[in-house]
Amino acid sequence: MNKEPLQRWRKEYEQIHMSETAHHHIMQHVRHAPMQMFSRIASTAAVCVLLFAGLTFGAVNLSPTLAQHLASNPSLAPLVNIITFNRYQTSDGNMELDVQTPHITGLSDPSLEAALNEEFDTLASSVITAFQNDLQDLRDNASQLDPHISVLFDYTVLTNTPAYLSLDIYQVNTAGSAGAWHHYYTVDKNTQQLVTLSSLFRDGVDYITPINNYIQQEIQRRLEEDPSAYWNGDNNIPAFSSIRADQPFYMDTSGHLVICFEQYEIGPGSTGNPVFTIPSSILAPLQ
Amino acid sequence: MTKRKMFEQFLEENLDHAYRFAYTYTHDTALAEDVVGDSVIKALRALHTLRDESALKSWFFRIIINTAYTRLKQEQRTVSLEALSLPEEGQEDDYSDLSFFQMIEKLDPHYRTILVLRFFEDMKLEEIAYVLDENLSTVKTRLYKAIRLLKLEMEDQA
């Protein structure tokens, strides 16, 4: 009878504990992450799109057609709906893909509607193409690893107010998400125009510095709660220094500007996709 | 109880288990924390697809494996993933003097995971089959091979 190593190993195994910081952070996330991030709610009104994309799936930029509509004319908003236009599922052994493409209907500007829907279709097909490339790559290079990958491309409505509707088009790589990023496209419901960050402020005003100052402050506050939540310059990973002029953002249900960062952009993976709601008191003088 | 609440309670009790299990893949504490963090996010998003709530642990551990493999690939820490040369039965490789940490470095992941789930996480073979997405007989065969390989004399392997 030689059970001794097993008992010894089990003891050593049981002595492995997650750091309290990580434990705390994960439980906080589970308790407080907004529920609407986890279930899809089809809804009405204008559109603000945020996109989570996995590392291997490149950023999809605002198409030229869509960009032209930044200057589209204001008009009355009819009943606007988000529908699932297309669903594509495929699986190969342990590799699964599920893509649900949203379409927006009922926008008063049919060419903006068509451009948005074309954008959504392009996003979806780029995910499908990337998945197929990954599949081939893994077959060629890593078949001995018996990789398990599941990719979900889906959407959820984040915000639905008289002012804005936020449509979240996201991708979940059920196998890690290093380098996940967001793209937010915001449309003002009243004007039915896509909104850029700079368009929220007076022409020529420096909105970057006040927003940076607030985010710096907020990061320091959050670091006191959890010292490892954000990069602090250690290990040659630069700490947050400045937002970009076109930093991703969306408008929340209270009409506040929410500045968004990609996973790993300013903190470790366990921090997820950090967002900062900017108080109106900071923005008002700039508008 | 909502699935969300149930998952929260599950994590309260099992977060360390999840972390240890992730560690057997990453061999690195920070990476194991990241893998668990990412797995929790994935699980929250996919929770509505969980049919059998009693299978929550197996379901979550399966997500951990998927997440760990992808993270390791991204980190290029292929050393821990490469099919390590596996001693044939009868070969004079002795595992019994190794520490847990040496053992998980040395033992082929196919055998290691089954060993960990069966003997350190007390999972049933059926549950292990679900975690690994393998059929039961494959799991049994691998478990017995692992036991022979490690020269463990067991009264009741299953």
Side-chain angles (χ1 to χ4, degrees), chain A residues 48-52 59-61 180-186 195-198 200 207 211 215 240 242-251 257-263 265 273-278:
Chain A
C48 152
V49 179
L50 99 93
L51 166 71
F52 300 80
V60 181
N61 292 312
W181 55 69
H182 305 239
H183 278 234
Y184 297 77
Y185 307 79
T186 304
V195 180
T196 63
L197 186 56
S198 61
L200 293 168
Y207 59 90
I211 291 176
I215 291 176
F240 167 76
S242 177
I243 59 163
R244 304 190 304 274
D246 60 348
Q247 190 72 28
F249 69 95
Y250 67 92
M251 309 304 285
L257 171 65
V258 181
I259 297 285
C260 310
F261 293 88
E262 294 159 13
Q263 194 175 15
E265 191 175 352
N273 302 101
V275 299
F276 296 84
T277 305
I278 311 299

Side-chain angles (χ1 to χ4, degrees), chain B residues 91-129:
Chain B
Q91 205 172 314
E92 291 309 310
D93 253 71
D94 194 355
Y95 284 80
S96 58
D97 290 336
L98 300 182
S99 74
F100 171 77
F101 299 95
Q102 292 167 321
M103 182 275 289
I104 60 167
E105 290 278 354
K106 191 169 177 184
L107 190 59
D108 178 280
H110 281 109
Y111 299 142
R112 186 196 64 213
T113 302
I114 290 179
L115 190 83
V116 167
L117 293 177
R118 179 66 195 93
F119 296 117
F120 308 151
E121 290 294 339
D122 299 322
M123 276 193 186
K124 294 180 186 139
L125 289 181
E126 289 78 9
E127 292 173 316
I128 298 173

Side-chain angles (χ1 to χ4, degrees), chain A residues 5-287:
Chain A
L6 271 186
Q7 287 161 354
R8 188 161 44 80
W9 290 336
R10 183 175 172 133
K11 219 171 254 174
E12 288 176 284
Y13 179 75
E14 286 175 348
Q15 278 162 9
I16 302 173
H17 293 284
M18 182 176 252
S19 72
E20 275 183 37
T21 308
H23 191 285
H24 175 77
H25 194 93
I26 289 173
M27 292 315 297
Q28 286 290 97
H29 179 83
V30 172
R31 287 188 199 106
H32 303 300
M35 199 53 208
Q36 59 192 351
M37 297 296 283
F38 309 125
S39 62
R40 177 155 42 82
I41 310 152
S43 193
T44 59
V47 66
C48 152
V49 179
L50 99 93
L51 166 71
F52 300 80
L55 180 66
T56 55
F57 305 90
V60 181
N61 292 312
L62 196 62
S63 68
T65 332
L66 199 48
Q68 283 173 8
H69 289 282
L70 288 167
S72 67
N73 295 320
S75 50
L76 288 171
L79 185 66
V80 179
N81 265 305
I82 300 293
I83 56 160
T84 299
F85 177 72
N86 203 2
R87 180 154 194 190
Y88 175 88
Q89 285 174 290
T90 183
S91 69
D92 180 336
N94 295 319
M95 317 280 278
E96 291 171 75
L97 175 67
D98 187 351
V99 172
Q100 300 207 53
T101 315
H103 265 195
I104 189 164
T105 65
L107 276 180
S108 57
D109 177 351
S111 55
L112 173 59
E113 181 176 297
L116 280 168
N117 290 335
E118 197 184 316
E119 185 87 4
F120 302 159
D121 291 344
T122 307
L123 287 175
S125 55
S126 73
V127 169
I128 294 169
T129 309
F131 178 83
Q132 284 162 348
N133 291 342
D134 276 6
L135 198 65
Q136 194 55 51
D137 182 49
L138 284 166
R139 274 204 205 105
D140 295 346
N141 302 314
S143 53
Q144 80 280 7
L145 303 183
D146 187 23
H148 291 54
I149 288 185
S150 150
V151 174
L152 173 70
F153 177 87
D154 204 343
Y155 63 93
T156 188
V157 176
L158 276 177
T159 295
N160 179 17
T161 67
Y164 301 102
L165 176 138
S166 302
L167 176 65
D168 165 8
I169 299 184
Y170 61 87
Q171 180 180 321
V172 183
N173 221 336
T174 314
S177 60
W181 55 69
H182 305 239
H183 278 234
Y184 297 77
Y185 307 79
T186 304
V187 173
D188 184 305
K189 184 176 172 182
N190 295 315
T191 63
Q192 298 213 4
Q193 289 185 34
L194 285 161
V195 180
T196 63
L197 186 56
S198 61
S199 74
L200 293 168
F201 307 102
R202 286 199 316 272
D203 278 351
V205 76
D206 172 21
Y207 59 90
I208 294 179
T209 309
I211 291 176
N212 284 346
N213 290 343
Y214 175 76
I215 291 176
Q216 289 283 15
Q217 223 177 64
E218 180 62 15
I219 286 177
Q220 288 312 314
R221 194 190 63 75
R222 294 182 191 179
L223 279 172
E224 280 170 29
E225 289 174 6
D226 178 355
S228 65
Y230 296 90
W231 308 129
N232 59 9
D234 287 354
N235 303 318
N236 293 322
I237 304 171
F240 167 76
S241 62
S242 177
I243 59 163
R244 304 190 304 274
D246 60 348
Q247 190 72 28
F249 69 95
Y250 67 92
M251 309 304 285
D252 74 8
T253 49
S254 316
H256 285 120
L257 171 65
V258 181
I259 297 285
C260 310
F261 293 88
E262 294 159 13
Q263 194 175 15
Y264 302 100
E265 191 175 352
I266 59 170
S270 53
T271 297
N273 302 101
V275 299
F276 296 84
T277 305
I278 311 299
S280 314
S281 57
I282 290 173
L283 302 182
L286 312 169
Q287 291 172 321

